Amino acid sequence: QGLATVCGMLLGLTLYTGHLCAVSAAAAFLYHDYCVIGAGPSGLQAAYFLQRAGRDYVIFERSHAPGSFFALYPRHRKLISINKRYTGKSNSEFNLRHDWNSLLSHDRRLLFRRYSRDFFPDADAMVRYLEDFASLLKLRVQYNTAIVHVMLEKDRQAWNGHYFLLTDQDRQNYKCSSLLVATGTWVPNVVNFPGSEYVEGYETVSINPEDFAGQTVLILGRGNSAFETAENILGVTNFIHMVSRSRVRLSWATHYVGDLRAINNGLLDTYQLKSLDGLLEGDLEDLAIVKDKKGKLHITLRFYLENRNTSGGIDSITLPQDELDNFATRAPYDRVIRCLGWKFDFSIYNRSLRMMPGKGNKKKYPQIKPSYESRGTRGLFVLGTASHSVDFRKSAGGFIHGFRYTTRAVHRLLENRHHGVPWPSTVYPITQLTNSIIKRVNEASGLYQMFSVLADIILLRENATAFEYLEEYPVGVLAELEMQTGRKAPSGLFVIIMEYGRNFSGADKDVFYYNRAVGEAQHAWQSNFLHPVIYFYKHLPTEREMRLQHPDWPLPRPDAVHHIVEDFLTDWTAPNAHILPLRRFLENCLSTDLRNFFAESCFLFAFTHQKLPPFCQQGYMRLQGLVGSEGLRRHAVEAGLLEDYTLTDFLGDRTPDKHEGSQDRLLRDHMIPVRPLQHLVNAKDEL
């Protein structure tokens, strides 16, 4: 019995200890509704929106300060994101079209032009900017916290049916309902081939040009980091060769800001003008590098090494020039530098999250939906550069001036999903439809930078008497609009996006050919440069229609489509070339008249038409309109819009007495006499 008692006590102690451990383990998880990994530009941008909405969030940053990537890269410190400080406009939204570095905030101090005067700024200015953005806005960033493992915990009570469990380098655990990954792409792309151990990486190679004086250099890669490296040493080397699988893609030909920018392409001049430097195409995995006794690096092909005599040294290795004496890379190199860009770090994510790399040229990014949510895990959103698979080599989603808007779109999706806050919208009378579109296409930065990706949506109310305007919605999830935004589209919709011409952009295109621009409104559909396009749908497109859409089209086939002709000044305000064709397109879609009318025109229509134009219905028939005054009457007379009626028209030659004059003056000051209606013979002349 004593033994049983002791055993019972031990068992009870064991259970109690186990209970304490379970309680301790549960308490060890620090909970937040939203966890953001990474305090780079996209992470800080997401935090700003979460904080403004009063949400519970935290940012985990592995470094001691935000923007740690920019503290290291680009190695030669010059950014390729433009900092256009002057545009001739005072409209802040318009100016963001040409400010590629500022994040979105309400604080006017946090415009990047206050941090640098350079058109292509120094990366150190970006580091200072991000530090101020985090500190001035008091964003909740937990520094020196490297998340090393992420996994799921199933729970039906959680927002998405599971929680995200995060562990940092000190084994501290965190739990969150929604995970926002803003780590960017920072793992160097490495190609392994025989002799790759002799290759120096972009992330560690010297940036002092004198270290390359009199040397012969081979650069692997053909992006901006490769050309940036070449530009730095161009004036001190014997010559530079550059090899990559793909051909050079120039940003001014592809209209993709991630392709080679003019600021870095000096080597193209020296190559084309035959000043020793050169470009080659080849698959890097087929190469091999052999080092001779003098330390020189020789380029050969992998298959030449298959039958080599390992005991014979370099003399036993067949080099291409042994068979082809004019082989392009027959000269030995002093250094080989790898500049192959970056990829996403998948290593910290447990298999339960199903974070899979993309396919083809998108394999460096995780697979995500057009809503920026992971294809494998609900509630996990990818922001910033790592989300660029949605618009890779198409739009600006991999860069600050693009993902500041996609991050805001993700926040709006989350607000609706988790907090019941519908997508922000404004309701206008239908008479404001043309003006609303013209205003947005001339000012909006999100539409302009994220062309073909983000769109303004106009939801028509019943009988097309009013409309609801939603800004910058991801077109890839147009079929899910009602669910994602909390707004209804029962009576049709317009979708406004910006597009380049279908066959204008491309690495092999001549974008400077004669007559490349279109100026006539009737040929607007052939516009090549960025221009607004309006799609009309009688019903919201279905998921099936979205899946079956043409791969070169951003949207499924609409019921009607209208191109606003491209403009050299990107100023779509010309009455005849831009506004009138747009208004007539909208009128045809709605079967109504969207013009504005004088009161006398509405008066005539009331007697001659069964259905009045919306402007007359919403204004004149509700006794709303311009109140007459002497100044307005005089202006109308001088402009020839009104006849110059005087008192003699009413009283003949009789001089009015004092009392009558005061009454007539009162009448005259508050009423505009009606002039003849001949001007309505051609009603279409009124804009």
Side-chain angles (χ1 to χ4, degrees):
Q1 182 179 357
L3 181 61
T5 303
V6 171
C7 290
M9 292 177 62
L10 288 174
L11 178 60
L13 181 61
T14 302
L15 293 173
Y16 178 70
T17 304
H19 173 71
L20 286 179
C21 291
V23 172
S24 175
F29 283 95
L30 302 178
Y31 176 80
H32 295 280
D33 286 344
Y34 296 94
C35 291
V36 183
I37 305 180
S42 62
L44 296 180
Q45 186 69 87
Y48 168 76
F49 292 122
L50 289 169
Q51 186 150 304
R52 294 282 285 181
R55 305 305 174 199
D56 172 32
Y57 78 93
V58 65
I59 308 178
F60 299 113
E61 170 54 45
R62 59 180 177 167
S63 183
H64 66 281
S68 58
F69 185 88
F70 289 99
L72 300 174
Y73 309 109
R75 293 294 312 283
H76 304 92
R77 310 312 290 151
K78 187 174 289 294
L79 299 175
I80 58 174
S81 49
I82 66 173
N83 177 40
K84 193 169 181 60
R85 298 169 61 230
Y86 302 103
T87 64
K89 301 286 183 69
S90 59
N91 185 289
S92 58
E93 178 71 11
F94 174 87
N95 289 339
L96 279 174
R97 289 183 170 187
H98 311 287
D99 173 356
W100 291 9
N101 300 285
S102 295
L103 296 176
L104 304 178
S105 81
H106 65 283
D107 194 332
R108 303 294 296 171
R109 295 174 296 175
L110 293 171
L111 292 174
F112 194 83
R113 59 184 173 85
R114 302 183 187 277
Y115 288 79
S116 175
R117 301 174 64 88
D118 297 330
F119 189 68
F120 292 106
D122 191 280
D124 292 335
M126 176 59 72
V127 174
R128 294 194 305 273
Y129 174 78
L130 296 177
E131 289 176 349
D132 284 356
F133 192 91
S135 60
L136 291 177
L137 297 173
K138 296 181 173 54
L139 303 181
R140 296 192 284 275
V141 186
Q142 187 170 312
Y143 295 108
N144 300 308
T145 304
I147 299 300
V148 297
H149 190 252
V150 182
M151 63 181 295
L152 290 182
E153 178 186 73
K154 299 292 184 181
D155 191 324
R156 293 183 179 180
Q157 302 302 315
W159 287 351
N160 299 290
H162 51 250
Y163 289 106
F164 296 91
L165 306 183
L166 286 65
T167 304
D168 69 15
Q169 79 277 19
D170 297 323
R171 297 187 179 180
Q172 174 63 57
N173 297 314
Y174 308 89
K175 177 186 287 190
C176 51
S177 295
S178 188
L179 181 62
L180 307 181
V181 177
T183 55
T185 55
W186 61 275
V187 178
N189 273 316
V190 177
V191 177
N192 292 313
F193 52 80
S196 60
E197 65 270 19
Y198 303 125
V199 176
E200 302 174 73
Y202 168 81
E203 61 276 8
T204 57
V205 71
S206 171
I207 59 175
N208 182 2
E210 294 304 316
D211 292 342
F212 297 84
Q215 294 186 350
T216 301
V217 178
L218 176 67
I219 296 178
L220 308 180
R222 192 155 296 170
N224 278 293
S225 63
F227 277 89
E228 165 206 331
T229 301
E231 193 78 15
N232 184 54
I233 60 178
L234 198 58
V236 297
T237 53
N238 295 333
F239 58 81
I240 301 171
H241 287 166
M242 190 177 288
V243 62
S244 178
R245 178 187 304 170
S246 60
R247 58 168 294 173
V248 172
R249 296 174 56 90
L250 301 169
S251 61
W252 44 260
T254 62
H255 297 109
Y256 171 58
V257 297
D259 285 333
L260 179 60
R261 304 291 296 284
I263 189 175
N264 288 327
N265 67 12
L267 187 135
L268 295 183
D269 271 7
T270 57
Y271 169 48
Q272 291 291 343
L273 300 177
K274 300 312 296 177
S275 185
L276 298 180
D277 304 309
L279 304 180
L280 295 164
E281 284 75 40
D283 194 330
L284 300 183
E285 295 180 350
D286 292 337
L287 298 182
I289 297 178
V290 179
K291 191 174 186 177
D292 65 18
K293 296 177 181 179
K294 297 181 180 179
K296 297 287 187 178
L297 302 175
H298 298 262
I299 303 300
T300 186
L301 301 176
R302 182 191 290 263
F303 69 84
Y304 280 134
L305 302 183
E306 294 176 354
N307 299 318
R308 63 169 290 190
N309 181 359
T310 56
S311 61
I314 188 174
D315 295 334
S316 65
I317 298 175
T318 301
L319 298 177
Q321 53 266 34
D322 295 336
E323 298 180 358
L324 183 65
D325 59 6
N326 66 339
F327 183 65
T329 57
R330 61 186 179 273
Y333 297 96
D334 295 294
R335 305 175 82 155
V336 179
I337 306 172
R338 167 183 43 78
C339 302
L340 300 175
W342 317 94
K343 61 183 179 181
F344 183 78
D345 180 15
F346 292 91
S347 66
I348 68 172
Y349 300 97
N350 185 275
R351 292 180 61 183
S352 61
L353 277 83
R354 293 175 292 178
M355 286 278 281
M356 302 296 293
K359 299 178 181 179
N361 59 8
K362 297 180 181 179
K363 63 183 179 182
K364 59 183 177 181
Y365 302 115
Q367 291 186 18
I368 58 175
K369 302 175 184 177
S371 61
Y372 301 93
E373 189 170 22
S374 169
R375 290 193 177 276
T377 304
R378 180 177 170 84
L380 191 160
F381 288 82
V382 180
L383 309 177
T385 301
S387 70
H388 197 25
S389 61
V390 171
D391 63 305
F392 181 58
R393 286 186 175 167
K394 294 180 181 178
S395 197
F399 310 89
I400 291 176
H401 60 291
F403 64 62
R404 60 191 177 194
Y405 301 106
T406 60
T407 301
R408 180 165 63 185
V410 168
H411 174 255
R412 289 170 172 172
L413 296 174
L414 291 172
E415 284 290 292
N416 178 63
R417 177 187 291 186
H418 298 314
H419 309 289
V421 179
W423 194 282
S425 68
T426 307
V427 178
Y428 298 100
I430 200 68
T431 54
Q432 295 298 314
L433 183 57
T434 306
N435 289 343
S436 298
I437 295 175
I438 288 296
K439 178 178 173 62
R440 284 288 294 170
V441 300
N442 280 287
E443 295 179 358
S445 179
L447 291 182
Y448 193 84
Q449 297 296 0
M450 290 305 299
F451 55 88
S452 300
V453 178
L454 296 182
D456 282 3
I457 310 294
I458 294 175
L459 305 177
L460 297 172
R461 294 292 181 89
E462 189 176 358
N463 298 324
T465 57
F467 63 92
E468 192 172 8
Y469 204 108
L470 285 66
E471 298 178 0
E472 295 165 15
Y473 179 79
V475 295
V477 286
L478 182 61
E480 305 169 17
L481 182 137
E482 294 186 336
M483 178 189 68
Q484 297 281 15
T485 65
R487 306 293 182 182
K488 299 300 180 182
S491 304
L493 65 155
F494 290 98
V495 180
I496 297 96
I497 62 175
M498 308 287 281
E499 295 181 16
Y500 278 98
R502 292 277 186 270
N503 300 309
F504 185 53
S505 306
D508 58 344
K509 302 291 185 180
D510 176 13
V511 294
F512 294 108
Y513 68 87
Y514 193 70
N515 284 335
R516 58 189 173 273
V518 174
E520 298 78 20
Q522 63 267 33
H523 300 139
W525 63 277
Q526 294 178 308
S527 294
N528 286 318
F529 287 92
L530 195 65
H531 63 283
V533 184
I534 296 88
Y535 293 76
F536 173 64
Y537 296 93
K538 294 179 180 178
H539 305 283
L540 194 65
T542 64
E543 293 275 8
R544 183 175 182 275
E545 289 171 336
M546 295 294 291
R547 288 195 304 270
L548 297 179
Q549 72 185 58
H550 192 281
D552 293 333
W553 281 54
L555 289 165
R557 182 179 296 277
D559 293 290
V561 64
H562 175 72
H563 292 252
I564 301 180
V565 69
E566 62 184 296
D567 188 77
F568 185 68
L569 301 176
T570 62
D571 179 14
W572 292 280
T573 57
N576 293 319
H578 302 137
I579 299 176
L580 182 58
L582 171 63
R583 196 205 73 213
R584 287 177 172 169
F585 166 75
L586 299 174
E587 289 176 337
N588 289 334
C589 292
L590 302 177
S591 299
T592 191
D593 193 328
L594 296 177
R595 290 173 295 168
N596 296 338
F597 293 96
F598 292 110
E600 58 188 89
S601 302
C602 291
F603 178 78
L604 177 66
F605 287 150
F607 286 97
T608 59
H609 290 67
Q610 291 184 348
K611 180 181 178 181
L612 290 179
F615 183 85
C616 295
Q617 293 178 10
Q618 299 171 5
Y620 177 77
M621 298 303 290
R622 297 180 182 179
L623 303 181
Q624 297 176 6
L626 291 175
V627 177
S629 68
E630 173 60 22
L632 186 59
R633 189 195 68 82
R634 190 183 309 113
H635 174 75
V637 169
E638 293 173 354
L641 299 175
L642 292 178
E643 297 293 338
D644 187 11
Y645 295 104
T646 64
L647 288 177
T648 56
D649 294 318
F650 301 96
L651 303 176
D653 296 331
R654 182 169 62 88
T655 302
D657 60 28
K658 182 177 181 180
H659 178 69
E660 290 175 332
S662 63
Q663 287 181 324
D664 289 332
R665 187 175 299 110
L666 184 64
L667 261 177
R668 187 179 61 203
D669 287 346
H670 291 82
M671 297 181 63
I672 299 178
V674 179
R675 69 185 174 97
L677 299 177
Q678 287 87 349
H679 68 290
L680 289 176
V681 172
N682 185 4
K684 281 292 182 183
D685 288 340
E686 292 194 41
L687 289 175

